[in-house]
Amino acid sequence: MKKIITAFVASEEGVSAIEYALIAALIAAAIIGAVSLLGTSVSSEFSSIAGVI
């Protein structure tokens, strides 16, 4: 039983998948934040241009 637990703890299979998932989640959060910030400023810019026209 001790060998099985030691092998399980030492095993690194699946670690890279978890790391890639965390990186993808951080990138997605950055994209969502950027789009929400830019979306607001672009919307106000279009409203300003529409007001001039």
Side-chain angles (χ1 to χ4, degrees):
M1 186 66 165
K2 186 176 180 182
K3 286 183 181 181
I4 294 172
I5 293 173
T6 305
F8 178 74
V9 171
S11 176
E12 294 186 9
E13 293 178 17
V15 172
S16 60
I18 293 170
E19 290 170 351
Y20 287 134
L22 289 173
I23 291 170
L26 289 173
I27 291 172
I31 290 172
I32 290 170
V35 167
S36 66
L37 288 174
L38 289 176
T40 305
S41 68
V42 170
S43 175
S44 64
E45 189 66 31
F46 280 135
S47 297
S48 173
I49 291 171
V52 170
I53 294 175

